Amino acid sequence: MNHFLKYSFSIFCLLACSACDDDGIGVLDIEIPEGYALSAGTSTIFLSSSVAYDTPADWITGAYDVRFTRGDRLYDDVRTSNNGHGGGLGPVYAGYSCGSCHRNAGRTKPSLWTEGGSGSYGFSSMLVYISRKNGAFFQDYGRVLHDQAIYGVQPEGKLSVEYTYETFSFPDGEAYTLCKPQYSISEWYAEEIKPEDLFCTVRIPLRHVGMGQMMALDPIEIEALAAKSNYPEYGISGRCNYITERGVRCLGLSGNKAQHADLTVELGFSSDMGVTNSRYPEEICEGQTQVNQGSMMGLSYDQLDVSTEEMENVDLYMQSLGVPARRNINDPQVIKGEQNFYKAKCHLCHVTTLHTKPRGTVLLNNTQLPWLGGQTIHPYSDYLLHEMGSEIMGVGLNDNYVSGLARGNEWRTTPLWGIGLQEKVNGHTYFLHDGRARNLTEAIMWHGGEGEASKNLFKNMSKEDRDALIAFLNSL
């Protein structure tokens, strides 16, 4: 960067920060409707409709609004196998757009439940991770099994799931059922991998609520939470995940196991859709027979499928989405449920209040978003790793998949903001990493390890108190 560009960029940052102070958008200026409470400072929006996850924050105006719209369109537009703009899908892939898995920036209903595994019609709303029992990847497959492919190309394999149901009872006699998934893979394109040699774990999409706030978190505060997260009376001791990306060791925040330092826009285009870009210029099936099959179907590999500028617009879109406000805060049942949330010690991991860095975030192509800085937010997460048990119904939440420092039984605390609107936005209430929990009660009852004490405190509450706690979660 030459001196003039550096100077221009510095002036832009000063003007942007000045605009952030003088644009009239501040917490004190927000008119909060009756029954609502701020969740993400000036990025809070007061919607409870199907677009509650998919609406820009109020500070998105002017040129940023134009870029937001472009990013939104690229996020939702269906990629095709054609060469040229809007093409690049395949040869193998999982989804054909960001929005196909993250409908309305949420969680598309998992095909695990609708179709028993890999979806038909060229789409699966999940990712299938595979590894050897020793943690190594398979040379012919990599870390993700791509179960979809363009016409004329063979997918890498197909996933099937069967559920085992077991019914339990709360002490007051109310019954609940937990569903244990058993995964199997067939139609391997190359050498068949024997079940005894394979670890397989499945991820349904995460909700894209509060992505900008997560990227703007103060790492010092997160590391301080890790140092503080030692509650032996409840068996809780959270820790940070650190990963190395682009040659830099970073605090992990993003993903089910906090295994990424950013929103992985470039990785999503590459691994999820087979769309090459400047960070991942090779096809995900490079060296496999699908590359040649794609060539026979007319695919060309002589140029990148998406530009860095386009990907940054998607990054901007995701980071500047508004966060739904807390609702029904004056409802007596919700108030009681919040009290029970604390009584069950849920707040020791689902931390209610955090803060963002003063300068906000910097997108993947160096655009700064200062409006995300200096905010008090309520994500209900500490973004730390916690051991979630290895033996519940014989399996627990240990998926045997290592991500950075995260072991198979360790998971990042899921942020809860907006969780009560998932059914309105996406038409379902499947939770946890693989959607095995069909409602919030089942999600709680799957907690083990460091979540065992809170699960048991919830379990031993009266039905009235359990229902109140669920009502509180649905108000977030």
Side-chain angles (χ1 to χ4, degrees):
M1 182 182 289
N2 63 38
H3 293 299
F4 174 76
L5 289 177
K6 287 183 180 179
Y7 179 77
S8 299
F9 181 73
S10 299
I11 292 296
F12 166 78
C13 291
L14 289 171
L15 290 174
C17 290
S18 175
C20 188
D21 294 333
D22 301 332
D23 63 3
I25 300 176
V27 171
L28 297 179
D29 300 311
I30 298 175
E31 184 176 340
I32 304 175
E34 178 67 22
Y36 289 83
L38 296 180
S39 55
T42 57
S43 290
T44 306
I45 58 173
F46 303 96
L47 289 175
S48 55
S49 67
S50 61
V51 294
Y53 300 164
D54 199 14
T55 298
D58 285 345
W59 47 263
I60 285 292
T61 59
Y64 288 93
D65 188 37
V66 173
R67 291 186 59 189
F68 177 95
T69 300
R70 289 174 179 167
D72 188 4
R73 186 181 301 118
L74 188 58
Y75 181 97
D76 285 327
D77 279 356
V78 173
R79 309 293 298 195
T80 70
S81 59
N82 297 329
N83 294 308
H85 185 74
L89 181 69
V92 295
Y93 64 94
Y96 43 69
S97 70
C98 305
S100 64
C101 286
H102 301 277
R103 182 173 177 266
N104 292 336
R107 314 179 87 172
T108 300
K109 194 170 186 176
S111 58
L112 293 165
W113 288 98
T114 59
E115 301 195 46
S118 291
S120 54
Y121 309 110
F123 169 70
S124 296
S125 53
M126 63 183 180
L127 287 176
V128 182
Y129 291 84
I130 58 174
S131 70
R132 298 181 183 274
K133 290 289 180 73
N134 64 4
F137 296 139
F138 296 99
Q139 182 176 354
D140 291 329
Y141 295 96
R143 70 186 184 99
V144 174
L145 182 82
H146 295 93
D147 63 343
Q148 302 295 336
I150 65 170
Y151 180 79
V153 175
Q154 184 180 1
E156 294 179 335
K158 292 290 185 178
L159 182 89
S160 297
V161 60
E162 292 186 359
Y163 292 98
T164 301
Y165 299 85
E166 190 167 353
T167 299
F168 304 88
S169 295
F170 292 106
D172 58 15
E174 183 184 24
Y176 65 94
T177 301
L178 297 184
C179 313
K180 181 180 74 173
Q182 182 65 46
Y183 301 114
S184 61
I185 299 172
S186 61
E187 302 180 39
W188 299 95
Y189 92 92
E191 180 182 359
E192 179 178 348
I193 300 171
K194 303 297 183 183
E196 58 268 24
D197 298 328
L198 174 70
F199 278 144
C200 173
T201 182
V202 176
R203 303 281 193 274
I204 67 170
L206 290 167
R207 294 176 296 117
H208 284 163
V209 175
M211 295 290 97
Q213 289 72 25
M214 178 178 69
M215 288 294 91
L217 284 171
D218 187 343
I220 295 175
E221 183 175 29
I222 301 303
E223 291 171 335
L225 276 177
K228 179 183 176 182
S229 182
N230 184 21
Y231 308 98
E233 64 272 35
Y234 302 111
I236 294 173
S237 181
R239 68 188 186 115
C240 295
N241 196 359
Y242 291 95
I243 41 86
T244 299
E245 291 186 345
R246 307 185 196 191
V248 179
R249 187 171 185 266
C250 305
L251 174 69
L253 293 170
S254 178
N256 287 282
K257 292 176 179 272
Q259 74 270 25
H260 295 292
D262 58 28
L263 299 188
T264 69
V265 173
E266 304 108 316
L267 181 60
F269 273 101
S270 172
S271 183
D272 297 359
M273 293 180 277
V275 175
T276 58
N277 55 75
S278 57
R279 187 172 177 186
Y280 298 99
E282 289 189 343
E283 297 292 337
I284 49 174
C285 54
E286 190 72 28
Q288 299 176 192
T289 59
Q290 288 90 346
V291 171
N292 292 333
Q293 291 171 343
S295 294
M296 294 174 64
M297 299 309 300
L299 287 189
S300 172
Y301 308 115
D302 58 356
Q303 63 182 21
L304 299 180
D305 299 321
V306 64
S307 71
T308 300
E309 291 76 14
E310 289 174 314
M311 290 188 297
E312 191 184 58
N313 286 337
V314 174
D315 197 18
L316 183 146
Y317 160 75
M318 292 172 64
Q319 293 203 33
S320 54
L321 287 168
V323 179
R326 270 196 59 200
R327 303 163 306 287
N328 305 320
I329 64 170
N330 298 321
D331 184 300
Q333 187 185 35
V334 170
I335 293 172
K336 184 175 184 179
E338 183 174 17
Q339 295 168 351
N340 293 340
F341 182 84
Y342 284 94
K343 288 179 181 178
K345 307 304 175 184
C346 305
H347 68 288
L348 296 182
C349 299
H350 292 282
V351 171
T352 59
T353 302
L354 294 174
H355 304 86
T356 62
K357 296 176 291 189
R359 296 182 64 83
T361 67
V362 178
L363 301 178
L364 63 86
N365 201 32
N366 296 320
T367 296
Q368 189 168 5
L369 298 182
W371 300 274
L372 289 167
Q375 301 293 307
T376 298
I377 61 175
H378 306 286
Y380 291 85
S381 173
D382 57 9
Y383 294 90
L384 300 177
L385 296 175
H386 293 275
E387 189 268 307
M388 293 302 294
S390 297
E391 293 297 332
I392 304 175
M393 294 176 60
V395 175
L397 295 180
N398 182 4
D399 70 345
N400 300 298
Y401 196 83
V402 175
S403 295
L405 300 179
R407 298 185 293 265
N409 59 2
E410 289 183 303
W411 300 88
R412 183 200 66 170
T413 305
T414 299
L416 299 179
W417 47 8
I419 198 168
L421 292 171
Q422 180 176 297
E423 185 172 15
K424 179 65 71 71
V425 174
N426 294 126
H428 70 88
T429 56
Y430 294 110
F431 298 110
L432 299 182
H433 64 282
D434 58 1
R436 68 179 64 189
R438 297 169 296 176
N439 53 58
L440 289 170
T441 297
E442 290 183 18
I444 293 171
M445 299 311 296
W446 268 108
H447 281 52
E450 295 182 42
E452 184 77 18
S454 289
K455 177 188 72 177
N456 288 332
L457 287 167
F458 171 80
K459 180 178 180 179
N460 289 304
M461 290 179 178
S462 67
K463 175 173 173 51
E464 180 183 6
D465 282 342
R466 293 196 304 271
D467 289 347
L469 198 155
I470 298 299
F472 167 67
L473 294 178
N474 279 316
S475 77
L476 298 180

